[in-house]
Amino acid sequence: MEGDTYSILVIDDEESIRRLLLKELANERRNVMAAADAAAAMALIRNHWFDVVIMDLRLPDVHDLDLLIKIKEQVLHVEVVMITGHGDIDSAVEAMKLGACDFIRKPFNLDQLDLVVEKAHQRVLLARQNRILRHTSGLEQERVQFIGNSTAVAEIRFLINKVAPARIPVLITGDSGVGKDVVARLIHQRSACAANPMIIKNCASLQKELARSELFGHMKGSFTGATESREGLMTYAHDSTLFLDEIGELPLEVQASLLRVLETQNFRRVGEKEERTVNIRFLFATNRNLAEEVEHGRFNEAFFHRINAFTIRIPALRERKEDLPLLVNYFLTRLSPDNTPYRIVDSAMDCILRYAWPGNVRELRNVIERSIILAENNLITERCLPRELVSAAEEGQAALTLESVEKNHILKILEFYDGNRQKTAETLGVSRKTLYRKLAQYGRE
Ligand SMILES: Nc1ncnc2c1ncn2[C@@H]1O[C@H](COP(=O)(O)OP(=O)(O)OP(=O)(O)O)[C@@H](O)[C@H]1O
Ligand SMILES: [Mg+2]
């Protein structure tokens, strides 16, 4: 999946030329295949992804430039180099007009051949890159870290490192703001296609009627409004990672087609008969319970089982509060406007530790960002925290106090009756069973 390996198709009816080109062009960066005529070439094109095609101007089973036209129409981001003989100059010029990028003359100058092919490949990369850039923002390429020292986070880091180099699709689940995007980015950054930008699409933003076309592309005239052929995300994500966020929102009708891509790496543009092969690593994220969606008939069962084969579940922040101090300090450093260190006082950290964080790490990040603005002398105090957060934390504290008041009271009565549980229970007006349970909680058997 490396960004700089690429595939070449040689089309020539002369066997000696095919053999020569296969031998000269193939190296560890290039895969080369060959076809003797147009029919064989089209059969290969249907099942392989080619970046550069080198073809003879004259082929036995097709009229002069018809094959060139067909290839340019059907293969995305492909560059075609023509092989020409003596007296083919007019046709060569015609070929360039039809989209061929270059031509080489027989007999070959092998150094020149190499140069022409490399140049063609550079053009392919550029074209692909240009299109990809429209789909990703700079932020997505940013290096990320998955901070935390809880066992849950350690386990997630372990899974990320294990699964990243594999091709297997990964489903990332967890509530909003727990870090699903972070995990997806880390998997991509540690994968074999890290050199290429990850393509991210939020399925909630797909228009229902156009979802299929957005994913797979379409042919001109395939439906009302399809005034031009268009490429889909599958093409942009070739040789890279396609991260489909909020996969629970993907229209049911499209899920089966996507399952097919996962299983065969083949897809079809809307309105096109031929299938194309792509090389894509798929990542999915959701905050929905997909098993439940399947039960209600809102999610394709087979598709669910396929993407659920490797799942990374990120627990809510309140289930791993031991991550809070590290996360707080990480954001205090990262969000510091002038790179000066910020410190947080213990009482403010206590509030943070007691709070339930319904918005998870995203909420924490926002709170820290705000507290930095309010801080004086680079010190975060309770005053810098949102009032609701402090009072919610105090309520938690009050509940704790109530519990401890109860405990003190029970133990006092027990002491008064010299450890007699029967009398203690009677005085408290609770059953002996309840008293035993309470005492067990306090560690008194
Ligand atoms: N473990 C972590 N370490 C560092 N930053 C984190 C961590 N978890 C989350 N973040 C940060 O918290 C914010 C929210 O995380 P993210 O966008 O990954 O959440 P999400 O699970 O994708 O949420 P949603 O379901 O709303 O898309 C981001 O700014 C992200 O960088
Ligand atoms: Mg997200």
Side-chain angles (χ1 to χ4, degrees):
M1 267 207 248
E2 263 94 16
D4 59 350
T5 61
Y6 62 102
S7 298
I8 303 174
L9 173 62
V10 172
I11 316 170
D12 201 303
D13 55 331
E14 268 179 67
E15 176 161 19
S16 59
I17 292 197
R18 289 202 302 277
R19 255 195 286 141
L20 173 75
L21 290 182
L22 279 173
K23 182 173 146 292
E24 285 300 322
L25 290 173
N27 61 24
E28 67 281 2
R29 287 184 49 233
R30 303 178 183 142
N31 302 311
V32 191
M33 297 180 108
D37 51 34
M42 286 319 291
L44 281 177
I45 281 171
R46 244 165 256 141
N47 293 309
H48 299 269
W49 185 287
F50 292 107
D51 302 279
V52 178
V53 173
I54 305 176
M55 60 182 283
D56 197 349
L57 202 55
R58 303 191 187 288
L59 288 167
D61 61 339
V62 67
H63 190 264
D64 273 4
L65 292 168
D66 284 359
L67 183 61
L68 168 66
I69 294 168
K70 207 161 159 193
I71 289 175
K72 287 301 283 188
E73 228 172 59
Q74 297 202 357
V75 188
L76 308 164
H77 308 303
V78 74
E79 291 294 349
V80 182
V81 176
M82 310 301 295
I83 303 172
T84 61
H86 271 308
D88 274 341
I89 287 301
D90 287 350
S91 308
V93 170
E94 190 60 22
M96 303 282 282
K97 277 193 203 145
L98 289 172
C101 71
D102 215 335
F103 56 91
I104 40 175
R105 284 206 189 83
K106 280 190 275 195
F108 299 122
N109 167 341
L110 292 177
D111 290 338
Q112 190 208 358
L113 174 76
D114 213 64
L115 211 69
V116 166
V117 170
E118 275 305 310
K119 232 169 63 191
H121 177 235
Q122 287 308 319
R123 285 174 59 121
V124 172
L125 282 186
L126 215 70
R128 207 174 278 157
Q129 216 70 20
N130 279 340
R131 291 190 166 97
I132 284 168
L133 284 178
R134 283 191 242 131
H135 278 257
T136 53
S137 70
L139 194 72
E140 269 121 44
Q141 315 302 332
E142 186 190 321
R143 294 251 144 220
V144 282
Q145 274 181 283
F146 197 63
I147 303 292
N149 53 353
S150 59
T151 43
V153 167
E155 171 73 9
I156 289 167
R157 274 206 225 99
F158 171 79
L159 290 176
I160 291 171
N161 287 333
K162 282 285 182 193
V163 82
R167 275 198 60 122
I168 176 174
V170 181
L171 175 65
I172 307 157
T173 66
D175 293 347
S176 185
V178 285
K180 297 186 293 295
D181 277 51
V182 178
V183 169
R185 276 169 209 188
L186 284 172
I187 293 177
H188 173 70
Q189 282 171 12
R190 292 175 191 176
S191 74
C193 37
N196 296 330
M198 171 163 84
I199 306 292
I200 303 172
K201 185 72 190 176
N202 188 326
C203 295
S205 75
L206 286 170
Q207 267 180 282
K208 197 159 178 253
E209 304 75 42
L210 292 179
R212 184 179 298 277
S213 157
E214 275 217 48
L215 285 175
F216 304 113
H218 66 248
M219 302 298 282
K220 181 174 174 175
S222 54
F223 53 88
T224 325
T227 50
E228 272 180 11
S229 294
R230 234 192 66 174
E231 291 153 21
L233 291 173
M234 296 296 147
T235 313
Y236 301 132
H238 177 59
D239 270 350
S240 191
T241 306
L242 179 56
F243 173 29
L244 294 175
D245 204 354
E246 295 199 37
I247 189 67
E249 307 293 324
L250 186 72
L252 200 53
E253 309 83 85
V254 190
Q255 290 172 14
S257 311
L258 196 54
L259 173 61
R260 215 181 120 60
V261 185
L262 288 174
E263 280 174 347
T264 64
Q265 295 275 320
N266 282 337
F267 76 97
R268 205 177 271 146
R269 285 204 279 183
V270 177
E272 187 174 43
K273 279 200 223 68
E274 263 87 41
E275 288 207 319
R276 294 141 191 278
T277 307
V278 276
N279 184 15
I280 298 175
R281 167 47 151 336
F282 283 93
L283 301 178
F284 304 97
T286 186
N287 50 24
R288 287 206 195 174
N289 181 339
L290 291 184
E292 225 167 68
E293 298 292 298
V294 168
E295 259 170 48
H296 289 97
R298 291 191 292 258
F299 204 82
N300 180 314
E301 186 168 3
F303 181 55
F304 169 63
H305 289 307
R306 183 75 175 96
I307 67 175
N308 197 33
F310 198 106
T311 302
I312 297 181
R313 191 186 83 83
I314 312 175
L317 188 53
R318 67 177 166 279
E319 294 170 39
R320 46 178 169 109
K321 284 196 165 173
E322 58 272 43
D323 289 335
L324 278 164
L326 267 190
L327 279 166
V328 167
N329 283 313
Y330 169 71
F331 288 130
L332 281 178
T333 312
R334 228 192 109 161
L335 303 174
S336 162
D338 42 8
N339 287 323
T340 56
Y342 280 77
R343 278 195 322 109
I344 178 162
V345 301
D346 287 351
S347 57
M349 186 57 114
D350 280 348
C351 286
I352 286 178
L353 286 169
R354 279 199 301 267
Y355 185 61
W357 299 106
N360 292 299
V361 186
R362 179 176 295 116
E363 185 182 8
L364 177 69
R365 190 199 142 106
N366 294 341
V367 164
I368 300 296
E369 197 163 27
R370 171 199 139 107
S371 71
I372 285 175
I373 295 169
L374 295 176
E376 275 168 42
N377 303 321
N378 286 14
L379 204 60
I380 313 285
T381 62
E382 280 166 272
R383 274 186 57 201
C384 310
L385 300 175
R387 200 174 311 143
E388 318 82 73
L389 192 151
V390 177
S391 53
E394 271 165 4
E395 272 163 34
Q397 179 80 343
L400 255 177
T401 312
L402 205 61
E403 238 167 65
S404 56
V405 165
E406 186 186 73
K407 178 179 166 183
N408 286 342
H409 185 61
I410 293 175
L411 293 178
K412 225 180 264 164
I413 307 267
L414 187 70
E415 206 182 326
F416 182 81
Y417 286 111
D418 250 352
N420 186 321
R421 299 182 178 198
Q422 178 67 40
K423 288 196 176 132
T424 305
E426 277 167 19
T427 307
L428 289 168
V430 299
S431 68
R432 272 175 45 144
K433 210 170 130 203
T434 305
L435 179 66
Y436 273 86
R437 190 166 43 80
K438 294 275 180 197
L439 292 175
Q441 275 172 15
Y442 310 148
R444 299 280 195 98
E445 292 311 316

